[in-house]
């Protein structure tokens, strides 16, 4: 089961399949994390950029695809 | 006196006074001297007592001066003038001891006391004014003199007073410089350089001559200025000294005092010399005269001894004398003392109380006062500002786009671009997850791989401990082993004779001689049993109650059911580790206090009913507290006993009801006498109870046996009797092992056990104490409870039946149901029928040379049947943690470990444990990481083995796999049956075609055998 979310890069959700509070939480936190990850990649090599971020947790896998202005976050539940 | 009121310019005023006033009247200025500030500390020293004046001194001051006075100086010589308090504390006569002695020495030369004192005063004075002394430092004096003379002249002119002529100013008031004209010199025969020279400068002139001269020459007399002095002069002769060096300003000078005259004439040289010497010595400035030790001189009384006499205390009152006498005969006479009350006789005692004597009041004259400086003490305080904690909260609302904005951004080109760019990446990631399980635990899988592919040598049962007892277990076979459900490391075993049943019956008389016991062992003490339960007969089986592990039910050789209550010893078992070997805890029978009290009471309060003195190391013997009546019991040995689960109970017809108390109250036993009996440990209302029996029971019961099951004593009769008769014949089955399908699951018990093991468990009330008569309220019938059970018989049959009692239509008597199924699988007596702890419908049966696994509902036979082995299987037990594993004991002392998932056709491992036959196997989970297997053998030794982790830890989906395996087996069996049927049909058709000899029964028989063969193939 996958859930799709679209975010503006400032952390404001544009479209979501999750409930509102979860969306806000995910959007705020993952936006920051992605920014941090991106800056890390860029600090190491200024010509490089972050294209994809996968976070594998006990319960889900969170996949983040960042771009210049938008962020696509997919949360995948393991057992379907 | 003319000198009065004239303030001396310099020099010591006291010196001027002493010398200048001469003798006679007290010092005119004594009044002025009253002011203490005026005195120097030395003043008192210099004061000579004016003649004729009475000494004034306080007694205590005199004492002080007296004690400090040097030898030879008396108080009469030196006395402080004025008030006694004026005597300065620092002023001591000792201050000038040398001068004083010198003066005294001087005075000793025949001069009278008066002279002496005068001399002394002068000497003292001169010594006092050391630096200014005219006699010691002449040079200085000269300068002084010059000044003085001029001054004196001026004064003379000013005041026209003859006294002014004296040299008082420079400290010599007795010297009057005179100018002697040549005429005067002639008259008095003191011509310069003829009668008087520088060396012989003294000339004594008679007073009368001077007076004569004054008369004759009157004003022109050279003595005119000092006329008055001459007239007042006390002596006969006046001394005129030729002042060759004009020491005092004139060519002659008159000495106007008798003392001074004496000084000049008599000892001038010696006195001066000595004085000078002493002065120099004292000053020690220039001359280096060696110190000469003063020579001791004989004491000369100057009157001090009189004062000593005065001061000394003398008794002057005649002393009072008392004489006591007593008659001679009374001496040595025997004395007798008697008691007497002092208050009875008047004046028999005198009380001397202390009181303040008013006649003596001593005025306080001195007082010690101390003053101590302390720094200024200041108190100050500050306080810090306290900020009150305050709850604060902020709340934010997430920024969200409005619908229009959302629409706008969703339809924007940018988003489309973004999605197209991101789309591929995300798709790849999701595809990856689809292909590979992202949540697959590699680590766990790795560990499982290792265990499953582990070496054979890794699988083992490690010998942990073994127990045996020479007294109770010698040459005996262990019939049953049970772990204590709650307490760690406690295991109980029962022992029986090694003989076969037939032999036992023959030897029954002898058997009674040997103690039948259940022995409790603890891991902490491998030598001494922790507890011994007394049994009326050999116990073949026993079970701890799942509700309360302190209740143990056992089945006897003679068919009786026995109950024990070991709640009093629970603590001992729990503290088994801390109990040292030597500590005796022998309590044969315990007091019949309530169970609750018993739980609290420990060894200190126990020995009230100590019956026999057992040896120190003897464990406590616990007597059974109830046995079933012999009439109602089994006729022969009880081979299996089980507690019914706590969630239901049965009534006389075998109907199951809910169990409200949720404690195990019913037992089921089986015996080869074809009976399966249900027992209820609650009070039953049996009418057949005779009164004498009751009395007998009470009589029989030794004191101290817990009365938990008092109501059951001997009159205890079974609730249900199930007679297993063979359906076709009158033969009866002789069940050995029974297995109720509705069972406790071991893991459940263990969960419970762990919770009970907590410290609170001690305070927990014995559930059986609350056990009450079943109420008359209709209990809810539980239909879901399975009434079915498996029974293994002596002849190797496995019977599947249920315990519902049916009313026989013919006789109206309740008759137990006929067994629904029976299978002959084992060739000898079944020794194990056990339900799997994981599957409610899987049963393991062991007997003879093979084992079988059964599934309830599969009526065609066992789902798994092992091939026959060379050794007899004697016992078996499921593993508690691995669904596919079970242990089987063999009569050669080996243990086979079967792992159905690994090797269904042969034991995956086997291990030799003992030399003799394995009689019982009982596994136990001590902790999630530790499991033990208790294995008993025929020779009375109990082995405790540690099960290696590979055998004890199940893999994640083992249960499912095992279930799958069993299902496969069932399917296979059904298919095989069909195939068999089909084959049989074909064959029968064939046979029918050829000949009609074979019966269907034979075919059936053959089918069975073929089934066994099939299993062997596996």
């Amino acid at each position: 089961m996958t859930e799709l979310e679209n975010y503006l890069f400032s952390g404001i959700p544009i479209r979501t399949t999750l409930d509102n509070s979860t969306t806000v939480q995910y959007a705020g936190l993952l936006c920051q994390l992605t920014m941090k990850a991106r800056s890390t990649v860029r600090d190491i090599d200024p010509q490089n950029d972050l294209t994809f971020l996968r976070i594998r947790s006990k319960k889900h896998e969170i996949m983040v695809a960042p771009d210049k202005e938008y962020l696509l976050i997919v949360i995948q539940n393991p057992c379907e | 006196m003319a000198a009065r009121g004239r303030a001396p310019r310099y020099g010591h005023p006291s010196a001027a006074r002493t010398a200048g006033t001469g003798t006679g009247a007290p010092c005119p200025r004594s009044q002025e001297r009253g002011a203490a500030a005026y005195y120097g500390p030395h003043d008192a020293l210099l004061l000579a007592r004016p003649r004729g004046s009475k000494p004034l001194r306080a007694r205590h001051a005199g004492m002080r001066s007296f004690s400090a006075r040097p030898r030879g100086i008396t108080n009469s010589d030196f006395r402080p003038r004025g008030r006694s308090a004026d005597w300065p504390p620092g002023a001591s006569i000792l201050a000038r001891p040398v001068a004083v002695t010198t003066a005294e020495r001087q005075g000793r030369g025949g001069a009278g006391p008066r002279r002496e004192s005068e001399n002394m005063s002068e000497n003292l004075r001169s010594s006092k004014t050391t630096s200014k002394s005219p006699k010691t430092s002449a040079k200085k004096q000269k300068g002084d003199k010059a000044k003085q003379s001029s001054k004196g002249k001026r004064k003379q002119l000013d005041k026209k007073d003859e006294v002014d002529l004296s040299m008082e100013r420079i400290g010599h008031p007795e010297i009057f410089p005179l100018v002697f004209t040549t005429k005067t010199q002639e008259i008095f025969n003191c011509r310069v350089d003829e009668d008087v020279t520088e060396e012989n400068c003294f000339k004594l002139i008679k007073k009368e001559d001077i007076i004569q001269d004054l008369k004759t020459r009157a004003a022109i007399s050279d003595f005119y200025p000092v006329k008055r002095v001459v007239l007042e002069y006390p002596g006969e002769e006046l001394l005129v000294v030729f002042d060759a060096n004009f020491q005092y300003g004139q060519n002659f000078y008159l000495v106007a005092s008798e003392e001074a005259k004496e000084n000049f004439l008599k000892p001038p040289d010696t006195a001066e010399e000595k004085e000078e010497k002493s002065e120099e010595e004292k000053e020690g400035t220039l001359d280096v005269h060696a110190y000469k030790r003063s020579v001791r001189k004989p004491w000369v009384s100057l009157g001090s001894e009189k004062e000593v006499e005065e001061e000394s205390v003398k008794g002057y009152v005649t002393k009072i004398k008392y004489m006591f006498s007593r008659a001679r005969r009374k001496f040595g006479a025997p004395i007798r003392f008697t008691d007497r009350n002092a208050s009875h006789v008047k004046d028999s005692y005198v009380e001397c109380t202390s009181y303040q004597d008013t006649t003596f009041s001593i005025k306080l004259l001195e007082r010690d006062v101390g003053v101590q400086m302390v720094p200024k003490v200041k108190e100050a305080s500050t306080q810090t500002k306290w900020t009150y904690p305050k709850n604060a909260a902020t709340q934010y609302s997430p920024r969200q786009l409005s619908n229009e904005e959302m629409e706008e951004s969703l339809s924007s080109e940018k988003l489309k671009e973004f999605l197209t760019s991101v789309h591929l990446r995300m798709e790849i990631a999701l595809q990856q997850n689809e292909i590979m399980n992202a949540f697959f635990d590699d680590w766990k899988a790795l560990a499982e791989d290792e265990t499953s592919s582990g070496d054979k040598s890794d699988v083992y049962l490690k010998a942990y401990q073994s127990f045996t007892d020479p007294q109770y277990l010698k040459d005996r076979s262990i019939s049953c082993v049970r772990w204590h459900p709650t307490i760690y490391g406690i295991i109980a075993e029962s022992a029986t004779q090694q003989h076969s049943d037939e032999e036992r019956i023959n030897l029954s008389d002898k058997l009674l001689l040997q103690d039948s016991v259940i022995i409790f062992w603890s891991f902490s003490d491998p030598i001494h049993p922790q507890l011994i339960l007394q049994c009326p007969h050999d116990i073949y089986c026993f079970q701890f109650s799942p509700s309360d592990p302190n209740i143990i039910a056992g089945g006897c050789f003679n068919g009786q059911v026995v109950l024990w209550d070991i709640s009093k010893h629970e603590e001992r078992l729990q503290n088994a580790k801390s109990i040292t070997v030597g500590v005796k805890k022998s309590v044969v029978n315990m007091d019949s206090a309530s169970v609750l009290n018993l739980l609290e009471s420990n060894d200190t309060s126990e020995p009230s009913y100590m019956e026999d003195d057992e040896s120190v190391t003897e464990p406590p013997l616990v007597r059974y507290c109830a046995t079933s009546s012999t009439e109602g019991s089994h006729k022969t040995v009880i081979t299996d006993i089980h507690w019914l689960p706590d969630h239901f109970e049965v009534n006389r017809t075998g109907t199951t009801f809910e169990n409200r108390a949720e404690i195990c109250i019913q037992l089921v036993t089986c015996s080869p006498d074809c009976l399966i009996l249900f027992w209820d440990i609650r009070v039953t209302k049996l009418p057949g109870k005779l009164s004498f029996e009751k009395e007998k029971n009470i009589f029989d019961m030794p004191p101290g046996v817990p009365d938990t099951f008092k109501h059951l004593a001997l009159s205890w009769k079974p609730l249900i009797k199930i007679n297993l008769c063979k359906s076709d014949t009158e033969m009866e089955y002789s069940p050995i092992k029974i297995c109720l399908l509705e069972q406790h699951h071991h893991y459940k018990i263990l969960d419970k056990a762990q919770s009970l093991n907590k410290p609170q468990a001690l305070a927990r009330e014995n559930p059986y104490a609350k056990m009450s008569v079943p109420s008359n309220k209709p209990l809810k019938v539980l239909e879901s409870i399975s009434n079915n059970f498996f029974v293994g018989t002596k002849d190797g049959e496995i019977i599947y039946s249920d315990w519902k009692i049916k009313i026989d239509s013919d006789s109206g008597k309740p008759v137990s149901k006929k067994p629904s199924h029976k299978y002959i699988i084992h060739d000898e007596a079944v020794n194990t029928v056990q339900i799997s702890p994981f599957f409610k419908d899987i049963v393991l049966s062991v007997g003879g040379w093979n084992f079988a696994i059964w599934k309830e509902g599969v009526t065609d036979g066992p789902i798994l049947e092992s091939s026959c082995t060379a050794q007899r299987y004697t016992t078996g037990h499921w593993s508690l943690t691995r669904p596919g594993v079970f242990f089987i004991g063999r009569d050669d002392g080996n243990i086979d470990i079967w792992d159905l998932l690994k090797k269904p056709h042969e034991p995956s491992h086997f291990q030799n444990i003992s030399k003799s036959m394995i009689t019982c196997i009982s596994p136990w989970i001590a902790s999630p990481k530790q499991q033990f297997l208790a294995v008993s053998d025929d020779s009375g030794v109990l082995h405790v083995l540690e099960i290696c982790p590979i055998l004890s830890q199940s893999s994640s989906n083992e249960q499912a796999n095992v279930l799958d395996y069993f299902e496969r087996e069932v399917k296979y069996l059904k298919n095989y049956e069909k195939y068999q049927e089909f084959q049989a049909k074909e064959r029968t058709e064939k046979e029918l075609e050829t000949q009609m000899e074979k019966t269907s029964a034979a075919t059936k028989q053959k089918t069975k055998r073929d089934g066994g063969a099939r299993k062997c193939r596996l």
Side-chain angles (χ1 to χ4, degrees):
Chain A
M1 184 179 74
T2 54
E3 281 154 358
L4 268 169
E5 293 172 41
N6 285 341
Y7 295 120
L8 203 67
F9 216 81
S10 53
I12 307 171
I14 297 168
R15 223 182 101 176
T16 178
T17 56
L18 293 170
D19 63 280
N20 197 27
S21 62
T22 323
T23 307
V24 169
Q25 203 177 12
Y26 268 104
L29 295 171
L30 283 172
C31 179
Q32 286 176 30
L33 182 67
T34 314
M35 298 282 257
K36 182 73 192 163
R38 168 176 263 180
S39 74
T40 308
V41 171
R42 282 183 167 180
D43 281 354
I44 291 163
D45 181 2
Q47 291 175 344
N48 205 349
D49 199 2
L50 183 77
T51 57
F52 206 79
L53 183 69
R54 291 175 83 145
I55 300 160
R56 194 167 291 184
S57 65
K58 255 189 195 170
K59 290 184 180 171
H60 330 279
E61 178 157 34
I62 305 166
M63 286 169 281
V64 185
D67 204 68
K68 275 169 207 156
E69 278 176 60
Y70 298 99
L71 210 63
L72 176 71
I73 301 170
V74 176
I75 301 153
Q76 190 181 26
N77 283 340
C79 33
E80 46 212 80
Chain B
M1 232 197 271
R4 187 191 301 172
R6 194 168 295 172
R9 278 295 176 81
Y10 51 67
H12 208 280
S14 63
R17 226 165 285 129
T18 322
T21 49
T23 59
C27 178
R29 297 178 69 179
S30 62
Q31 254 97 36
E32 289 173 36
R33 291 183 174 199
Y38 195 77
Y39 288 110
H42 47 267
D43 276 352
L45 186 73
L46 294 168
L47 292 173
R49 176 169 62 94
R51 280 184 198 92
S53 71
K54 259 290 186 193
L56 285 163
R57 71 191 162 91
R59 191 180 175 80
H60 73 272
M63 290 293 275
R64 200 192 299 164
S65 63
F66 180 76
S67 62
R69 192 184 307 140
R71 186 169 56 96
I73 298 171
T74 65
N75 269 347
S76 49
D77 296 332
F78 284 83
R79 226 169 274 277
R81 204 183 296 170
R83 283 175 291 131
S84 62
D86 287 345
W87 186 276
S92 163
I93 292 157
L94 273 176
R96 299 278 175 204
V98 181
V100 171
T101 45
T102 316
E104 206 170 320
R105 226 177 292 137
Q106 268 182 322
R108 229 181 294 138
R114 184 183 133 172
R115 227 191 102 123
E116 182 188 305
S117 76
E118 274 174 10
N119 274 345
M120 196 181 291
S121 72
E122 196 159 337
N123 285 330
L124 282 169
R125 178 202 62 221
S126 58
S127 67
K128 177 74 200 93
T129 57
T130 43
S131 60
K132 287 177 184 173
S133 171
K135 285 177 187 174
T136 49
S137 50
K139 279 178 192 171
K140 209 174 181 182
Q141 269 180 355
K142 265 181 192 169
D144 287 345
K145 184 177 61 190
K147 270 187 194 167
Q148 189 188 343
S149 60
S150 61
K151 277 179 187 170
K153 268 179 190 170
R154 221 183 296 149
K155 278 200 180 146
Q156 201 175 11
L157 289 169
D158 292 343
K159 300 245 173 170
K160 308 260 191 248
D161 200 331
E162 63 269 70
V163 180
D164 228 7
L165 295 168
S166 80
M167 299 311 287
E168 193 179 353
R169 282 161 308 185
I170 52 163
H172 293 280
E174 77 277 16
I175 287 167
F176 295 93
L178 290 172
V179 182
F180 278 10
T181 57
T182 329
K183 179 90 183 247
T184 314
Q185 287 174 17
E186 279 169 14
I187 292 167
F188 291 104
N189 294 324
C190 53
R191 285 175 301 254
V192 175
D193 295 335
E194 286 176 26
D195 297 319
V196 288
T197 59
E198 205 170 330
E199 285 76 38
N200 189 19
C201 59
F202 301 111
K203 181 68 184 177
L204 282 168
I205 299 164
K206 285 205 165 97
K207 192 182 173 181
E208 287 144 28
D209 292 344
I210 295 165
I211 293 165
Q212 191 60 45
D213 182 59
L214 284 168
K215 275 174 186 171
T216 54
R217 294 205 294 165
I220 57 157
S221 169
D222 287 339
F223 285 102
Y224 183 73
V226 293
K227 185 185 170 184
R228 195 164 181 150
V229 175
V230 173
L231 287 172
E232 281 180 5
Y233 190 73
E236 292 298 307
E237 287 175 326
L238 281 129
L239 179 68
V240 174
V241 183
F242 169 58
D243 196 355
N245 298 324
F246 291 88
Q247 203 175 355
Y248 295 104
Q250 304 296 340
N251 55 351
F252 281 89
Y253 63 86
L254 179 75
V255 177
S257 87
E258 196 80 343
E259 294 105 332
K261 192 183 88 179
E262 290 298 323
N263 265 350
F264 278 104
L265 290 175
K266 285 292 171 185
D269 44 344
T270 52
E272 245 170 275
E273 241 176 57
K274 282 199 176 172
E275 207 168 307
E276 235 167 276
K277 224 183 238 173
S278 69
E279 289 284 322
E280 273 160 19
E281 265 177 36
K282 257 193 222 167
E283 285 178 356
T285 45
L286 295 168
D287 299 288
V288 229
H289 286 282
Y291 168 71
K292 278 180 188 168
R293 206 191 160 107
S294 55
V295 188
R296 183 183 291 182
K297 287 163 193 92
W299 181 70
V300 177
S301 166
L302 293 172
S304 58
E305 78 275 7
K306 278 184 185 167
E307 291 200 10
V308 173
E309 189 93 348
E310 276 172 26
E311 298 295 339
S312 60
V313 181
K314 280 179 203 156
Y316 56 90
V317 183
T318 50
K319 286 166 182 158
I320 302 162
K321 283 184 186 170
Y322 284 100
M323 198 178 79
F324 299 94
S325 63
R326 135 193 234 208
R328 185 182 163 77
R329 67 174 184 282
K330 288 187 179 169
F331 283 100
I335 300 156
R336 278 180 63 199
F337 294 104
T338 51
D339 286 339
R340 193 182 68 159
N341 196 334
S343 57
H344 286 172
V345 185
K346 199 190 168 193
D347 293 338
S348 62
Y349 70 95
V350 180
E351 203 177 5
C352 297
T353 48
S354 60
Y355 65 97
Q356 197 181 3
D357 193 350
T358 48
T359 55
F360 299 102
S361 65
I362 300 158
K363 200 177 171 188
L364 185 72
L365 292 171
E366 279 185 72
R367 183 199 290 272
D368 278 330
V369 176
V371 177
Q372 200 175 5
M373 267 252 291
V374 282
K376 240 183 187 172
V377 177
K378 202 166 75 178
E379 263 184 46
S381 65
T382 55
Q383 198 167 12
T384 53
K385 218 175 173 182
W386 168 250
T387 51
Y388 290 96
K390 210 161 51 180
N391 287 335
T394 53
Q395 198 172 13
Y396 70 95
S397 56
R399 284 192 292 164
Q400 273 175 331
L401 299 174
S402 63
N403 287 337
E404 298 85 55
E405 281 173 322
M406 223 180 259
E407 281 300 315
E408 194 188 315
S409 56
L410 279 174
S411 57
S412 69
E413 274 300 309
K414 274 184 181 175
L415 187 69
K416 276 169 191 162
E417 276 172 34
F418 163 72
L419 284 175
T420 45
S421 70
V422 155
H423 165 255
L424 193 65
R425 280 181 250 163
M426 191 55 81
E427 204 140 276
I428 290 165
L430 289 170
Q431 272 177 2
Q432 283 172 350
N433 280 2
E434 206 62 40
I435 294 158
M436 285 280 292
N437 183 13
F439 302 93
F440 183 73
D441 193 342
D442 295 317
W443 289 111
K444 208 177 171 188
L446 192 69
E448 268 178 21
D449 282 353
E450 268 185 5
T451 51
S452 55
S453 64
D455 228 358
K456 220 174 196 178
S457 57
D458 291 346
V459 181
Y460 56 93
L461 301 169
K462 197 171 83 184
Y464 186 80
Q465 225 160 9
S466 67
F467 302 100
T468 189
D469 187 89
Q471 187 189 343
Y472 295 106
L473 300 177
K474 201 187 175 192
D475 298 330
R476 304 197 77 172
S477 171
I478 291 168
S479 56
C480 188
V481 176
R482 295 282 178 258
W483 291 91
H484 194 286
T486 55
I487 303 168
Y488 174 85
I490 300 289
I491 187 164
E493 55 175 355
S494 62
T496 54
Q497 288 295 319
Q498 282 170 329
H499 313 285
S500 66
D501 293 341
E502 288 77 20
E503 283 173 305
R504 287 178 65 95
I505 293 156
N506 297 337
L507 298 165
S508 57
D509 295 342
K510 284 184 189 172
L511 290 173
L512 291 171
L513 299 172
Q514 199 160 1
D515 289 326
S516 303
V517 288
I518 292 176
I519 298 175
F520 280 70
W521 297 98
S522 168
F523 280 2
S524 57
D525 190 350
I527 295 158
H528 302 98
Q530 297 300 313
L531 203 63
I532 288 174
L533 307 185
Q534 276 187 328
C535 317
H537 290 279
D538 278 0
I539 296 293
Y540 263 74
C541 52
F542 65 94
Q543 290 280 1
F544 287 95
S545 162
S547 306
D548 182 5
N550 292 321
I551 306 298
I552 299 154
C556 276
F557 171 68
N558 67 348
Q560 276 181 308
V561 179
V562 189
L563 287 171
W564 290 270
D565 184 355
I566 58 159
S567 49
K568 281 173 193 176
H569 303 279
E570 191 185 13
E571 198 154 313
R572 181 190 161 92
L573 293 175
Q574 263 168 356
N575 301 334
K577 273 178 198 169
S578 57
I579 294 166
T580 52
V581 175
V583 172
K584 179 191 176 184
K585 297 202 73 177
S586 75
V587 176
V588 180
N589 299 304
M590 293 150 291
D591 47 11
S592 50
S594 74
V595 180
L596 189 64
N597 286 347
L598 296 173
L599 283 166
E600 286 162 357
S601 72
N602 50 23
D603 50 322
T604 53
S605 60
E606 273 174 350
S608 50
Y609 286 101
M610 204 86 78
E611 270 193 350
D612 34 353
D613 291 319
E614 288 173 278
S615 67
V616 172
T617 51
E618 202 69 23
L621 269 169
V622 181
R623 218 187 128 88
Y624 51 91
C625 53
T627 55
S628 60
S629 65
T630 42
E631 303 94 68
S633 299
H634 292 284
K635 300 287 178 288
T636 178
V637 56
I638 297 177
T639 48
D640 204 5
I641 187 163
H642 288 285
W643 291 89
L644 285 185
D646 56 4
H647 56 275
F648 73 94
E649 59 180 82
V650 295
N651 71 352
R652 296 190 164 278
T653 60
T655 324
T656 50
F657 295 101
E658 61 166 339
N659 184 343
R660 286 211 183 112
E662 295 209 329
I663 52 169
C664 300
I665 41 155
Q666 287 175 329
L667 289 160
V668 60
T669 57
C670 70
S671 168
D673 64 354
C674 308
L675 283 175
I676 290 169
L677 301 181
F678 282 72
W679 305 83
D680 196 319
I681 60 169
R682 293 171 299 187
V683 180
T684 47
K685 291 168 209 159
L686 281 176
K689 209 187 273 175
L690 297 171
S691 59
F692 75 88
E693 250 183 22
K694 228 182 200 174
E695 279 164 34
K696 196 183 151 206
N697 295 342
I698 293 158
F699 186 73
D700 274 352
M701 281 302 238
V705 171
D707 55 357
T708 323
F709 304 111
K710 209 167 157 184
H711 52 271
L712 299 174
L714 283 173
S715 60
W716 192 22
K717 287 202 167 74
L719 191 68
I720 312 172
K721 267 190 192 183
I722 296 167
N723 212 330
L724 290 172
C725 1
K726 283 185 183 172
S727 47
D728 41 0
T729 61
E730 287 306 302
M731 284 270 289
E732 287 174 327
Y733 299 110
S734 47
I736 285 185
K737 293 286 169 186
I738 183 163
C739 171
L740 301 171
L741 285 167
E742 197 68 36
Q743 262 291 4
H744 302 277
H745 288 273
H746 283 274
Y747 53 89
K748 271 187 195 167
I749 296 164
L750 282 159
D751 283 350
K752 208 173 173 183
Q754 271 156 11
S755 66
L756 288 175
N757 231 347
K758 286 170 188 169
Q760 297 99 299
L762 267 179
R764 149 188 68 100
E765 213 174 316
N766 188 342
Y768 290 101
K770 296 189 293 187
M771 194 171 62
S772 58
V773 183
S775 61
N776 294 325
K777 269 190 199 168
L779 293 164
K780 207 171 92 188
V781 179
L782 295 177
E783 298 289 351
S784 60
I785 303 293
S786 161
N787 301 329
N788 302 318
F789 56 88
F790 279 95
V791 166
T793 66
K794 208 174 170 182
D795 307 318
E797 300 136 315
I798 296 293
I799 299 160
Y800 176 71
S801 181
D802 75 2
W803 64 66
K804 270 262 170 89
I805 305 284
K806 278 190 177 169
I807 307 295
D808 190 50
S809 50
D810 300 337
S811 58
K813 278 182 184 174
V815 166
S816 57
K817 242 177 152 183
K818 297 270 186 285
S820 50
H821 300 283
K822 67 154 191 147
Y823 312 94
I824 301 167
I825 290 293
H826 304 290
D827 300 317
E828 257 190 34
V830 176
N831 50 50
T832 304
V833 178
Q834 193 179 50
I835 194 158
S836 162
F838 292 90
F839 311 104
K840 280 189 172 184
D841 50 357
I842 301 292
V843 171
L844 170 77
S845 69
V846 181
W849 286 265
N850 60 352
F851 69 88
I853 292 171
W854 307 78
K855 186 174 163 69
E856 194 196 6
V858 180
T859 52
D860 301 326
I863 56 170
L864 191 71
E865 189 189 345
S866 77
S867 57
C868 294
T869 55
Q871 270 79 35
R872 257 190 333 137
Y873 286 148
T874 52
T875 184
H877 206 289
W878 288 99
S879 164
L880 297 180
T881 47
R882 290 194 61 182
V885 174
F886 51 90
F887 310 97
I888 286 180
R890 304 195 305 199
D891 69 349
D892 59 351
N894 277 13
I895 281 190
D896 287 350
I897 302 159
W898 287 77
D899 189 341
L900 294 177
L901 288 180
K902 225 169 160 186
K903 284 178 189 173
H905 58 283
E906 63 172 17
S908 61
H909 315 282
F910 65 91
Q911 193 169 348
N912 186 263
I913 303 296
S914 167
K915 279 178 186 168
S916 48
M917 185 178 82
I918 304 291
T919 55
C920 194
I921 293 176
S922 176
W924 180 56
I925 303 168
S927 71
K929 295 239 171 119
Q930 198 177 32
Q931 277 191 43
F932 294 107
L933 190 70
V935 177
S936 61
D937 65 17
D938 202 35
S939 59
V941 182
L942 176 63
H943 305 268
V944 175
L945 311 162
E946 198 177 340
I947 303 170
C948 69
I950 297 164
L951 280 177
S952 58
Q953 266 147 37
S954 65
S955 55
S956 52
N957 44 7
E958 188 175 334
Q959 190 168 350
N961 291 347
V962 173
L963 188 66
D964 196 40
Y965 172 78
F966 286 147
E967 275 167 7
R968 262 193 339 250
E969 287 296 320
V970 172
K971 258 184 220 167
Y972 191 86
L973 181 66
K974 277 178 180 166
N975 290 340
Y976 188 75
E977 288 288 333
K978 274 180 193 166
Y979 171 72
Q980 287 278 308
E981 274 173 28
F982 173 71
Q983 227 178 17
K985 218 186 253 172
E986 267 191 350
R987 206 181 293 152
T988 41
E989 276 169 11
K990 219 180 184 179
E991 277 169 2
L992 278 168
E993 279 169 16
T994 51
Q995 36 179 279
M996 304 272 282
E997 284 163 55
K998 300 275 178 184
T999 59
S1000 59
T1003 320
K1004 225 180 210 175
Q1005 198 69 30
K1006 205 190 168 204
T1007 315
K1008 280 280 171 227
R1009 263 182 225 127
D1010 287 350
R1014 175 181 62 84
K1015 295 297 162 203
C1016 294
R1017 279 203 310 278
L1018 278 170

